[in-house]
Amino acid sequence: MGVPKLPIEIVILILENFTSNHHCSIERAGLASCSLVCYTWRSIAQPLLYRLVNIQTHKRIDQFHDFVVANKRLAAAIRGFRLVAPTLGDLYPISPFLLVDILEALPNLGSVELVGIIMLGWSHRDRPLPSPPTLKLGKLVVRDVRNGPYPSEDHSRFDLLGLFSEIDELVLVGNVDDEGARTAIGTPAGGEYNISPPAVRTLDISGPDYFLDYNDACGGMDGQRVCAVNAEVDSEVTARHAGRIFHKYGQNICDLSLNLCKAVLYERPEDTSMWDALDAGHLAQVERITLHIRDHTTVRGKDRPVDELNTRFCEAYGAVLSALPTGTLRELRWVAVELTDEVATLQLVSTHLAPLIAQAIEKFLVLGQVILVVRRGMPLEKCAASLRKLLPEGVASKVNVHFEDSF
């Protein structure tokens, strides 16, 4: 008896099951084996194999460019592209020309991640910057990238963000400029001031960043399109940097996620000057705020009394809420992922949160929802009851206060 032929829809479901974790070498090896079964399976498995491409920079990047140019069907299958510095081995600087050519050869690309690489300067004599830019992305992550060196006078800084016309989510972490750069940030070369500023909808920042600062020197992002910011603050320097972002783009930011946990844990500020540096008063249109009161960084702060940490967290966010303009905030979300199933721990945090919730309800007249996100081992009703009984009489009835699970 011959082996029954599976419907093509079943084959697709089976092979797509191998793509649940693109970083797992075992799953990718299994998918690669499936591509060798027959022509039908190959036509399904190959595009899935290339859905996310992960390249380390000690490889020949130019060969990958030649490959995608010559194989347009597989190039069209690529949704994610990661260029990552190797843990060991040589590190070759990347030409921005080559990077742009690769991205332009991937018509359905949704996300790009550049991690730990060295990117050469742009030679304006050899090639002008794209104007207007045509690249669009769902997500761009640039982390620990060094721009430079600049091999000659013809190579200079360039506005990486200005290469894109639209980015749904932009994540910038720890990017720096070459120490041997000849010109200061703020003096773009080659007529690089933005004719068409990039439209970024969500911005993730955690402190000063070269690419963001240089983009600002070139004219900045489209201020009408930045509607969400996720900011992590660990010092007064990062607080001031976030404050500059709020000052420039705050008129259109409607969704803000703010994490002050590291600053509270390590800086131990004695007054509100660090929180004042955030310039939260410029967030005139914010409708939803997520505030992280305890996160995984506090594990290293066990030497400090929990009650002291809770007090510091609430002092910090109390200053932020006080600085916010009234009239637009509709949802206030607290993220407290380290809470345990102990009622006493929850009550301790609730004791500090209750006055802030009451303050927010009284100040923001359109506030309709307060959410506390916790990792918990007790029923949600029990969590809610623990918090509600600490709220002033009549306050809880004015707003929907409830809990969500954190996983």
Side-chain angles (χ1 to χ4, degrees):
M1 179 183 293
V3 178
K5 186 176 180 180
L6 291 174
I8 193 67
E9 294 82 5
I10 300 299
V11 176
I12 293 174
L13 288 174
I14 292 172
L15 298 187
E16 283 188 337
N17 189 56
F18 284 101
T19 64
S20 60
N21 185 354
H22 287 285
H23 302 290
C24 179
S25 59
I26 297 177
E27 290 188 3
R28 291 181 65 83
L31 192 58
S33 297
C34 291
S35 70
L36 303 176
V37 172
C38 63
Y39 178 80
T40 300
W41 281 42
R42 178 187 176 188
S43 64
I44 300 170
Q46 265 197 342
L48 295 176
L49 271 171
Y50 283 89
R51 190 173 283 181
L52 173 63
V53 174
N54 187 357
I55 298 180
Q56 291 192 327
T57 55
H58 65 288
K59 305 292 185 182
R60 290 287 300 276
I61 310 301
D62 56 330
Q63 291 182 347
F64 176 71
H65 167 262
D66 296 342
F67 172 80
V68 295
V69 169
N71 295 271
K72 297 189 182 301
R73 184 179 74 89
L74 293 180
I78 297 175
R79 301 295 190 270
F81 176 66
R82 299 180 75 242
L83 193 55
V84 185
T87 305
L88 299 173
D90 295 331
L91 186 66
Y92 294 109
I94 303 302
S95 163
F97 298 167
L98 185 56
L99 177 63
V100 170
D101 288 342
I102 289 174
L103 299 185
E104 289 180 341
L106 307 177
N108 298 314
L109 189 64
S111 67
V112 172
E113 189 171 355
L114 309 175
V115 180
I117 67 173
I118 298 174
M119 192 175 301
L120 293 171
W122 189 285
S123 175
H124 295 272
R125 174 178 294 182
D126 295 335
R127 179 174 174 178
L129 287 164
S131 182
T134 58
L135 294 172
K136 298 180 181 181
L137 285 177
K139 186 173 184 178
L140 173 62
V141 178
V142 188
R143 186 187 305 272
D144 300 326
V145 170
R146 179 161 65 89
N147 198 62
Y150 309 100
S152 69
E153 294 291 341
D154 296 330
H155 291 77
S156 63
R157 293 184 172 97
F158 70 99
D159 182 10
L160 175 67
L161 307 187
L163 299 177
F164 301 89
S165 61
E166 294 183 23
I167 306 172
D168 287 338
E169 182 178 2
L170 174 62
V171 182
L172 298 171
V173 182
N175 302 299
V176 298
D177 191 26
D178 185 74
E179 294 179 356
R182 304 179 186 86
T183 56
I185 289 180
T187 58
E192 197 176 337
Y193 288 98
N194 285 332
I195 298 175
S196 179
V200 176
R201 294 173 179 81
T202 300
L203 176 64
D204 290 46
I205 55 174
S206 59
D209 186 273
Y210 161 70
F211 289 115
L212 188 60
D213 292 342
Y214 194 73
N215 171 261
D216 188 60
C218 294
M221 300 174 289
D222 184 346
Q224 300 298 316
R225 304 293 287 276
V226 180
C227 58
V229 172
N230 304 320
E232 183 176 357
V233 173
D234 62 5
S235 66
E236 188 161 349
V237 172
T238 58
R240 293 189 181 282
H241 185 266
R244 289 197 294 272
I245 298 299
F246 298 161
H247 185 273
K248 183 165 187 175
Y249 302 106
Q251 291 300 314
N252 289 286
I253 295 173
C254 59
D255 194 335
L256 172 67
S257 176
L258 186 61
N259 190 333
L260 305 180
C261 292
K262 290 182 179 178
V264 170
L265 184 62
Y266 300 125
E267 295 296 315
R268 307 189 183 198
E270 298 298 332
D271 55 36
T272 64
S273 60
M274 185 182 299
W275 322 129
D276 295 340
L278 290 169
D279 265 351
H282 291 282
L283 300 168
Q285 301 299 321
V286 67
E287 296 181 1
R288 172 179 172 177
I289 291 184
T290 300
L291 303 175
H292 296 256
I293 55 173
R294 305 180 68 178
D295 72 356
H296 297 293
T297 62
T298 60
V299 171
R300 297 186 294 276
K302 296 299 184 181
D303 58 317
R304 298 178 64 184
V306 174
D307 191 54
E308 178 192 345
L309 286 174
N310 291 335
T311 300
R312 296 295 188 184
F313 285 135
C314 293
E315 286 176 351
Y317 290 120
V320 172
L321 291 174
S322 296
L324 283 174
T326 60
T328 59
L329 187 64
R330 298 180 181 276
E331 179 179 309
L332 176 60
R333 181 180 293 261
W334 301 91
V335 178
V337 300
E338 283 196 27
L339 296 184
T340 68
D341 57 355
E342 298 178 4
V343 177
T345 305
L346 177 59
Q347 288 179 338
L348 188 60
V349 174
S350 299
T351 300
H352 294 85
L353 279 183
L356 286 182
I357 293 174
Q359 170 194 343
I361 292 172
E362 294 298 326
K363 178 176 180 177
F364 305 107
L365 301 181
V366 296
L367 180 63
Q369 189 156 251
V370 176
I371 301 169
L372 182 58
V373 182
V374 297
R375 181 180 295 120
R376 48 118 197 154
M378 66 184 83
L380 288 176
E381 295 78 11
K382 194 172 183 180
C383 292
S386 175
L387 177 61
R388 285 178 179 277
K389 71 180 183 180
L390 294 170
L391 292 173
E393 186 176 353
V395 168
S397 62
K398 295 181 181 179
V399 70
N400 180 19
V401 181
H402 69 276
F403 284 69
E404 289 184 2
D405 288 327
S406 170
F407 299 100

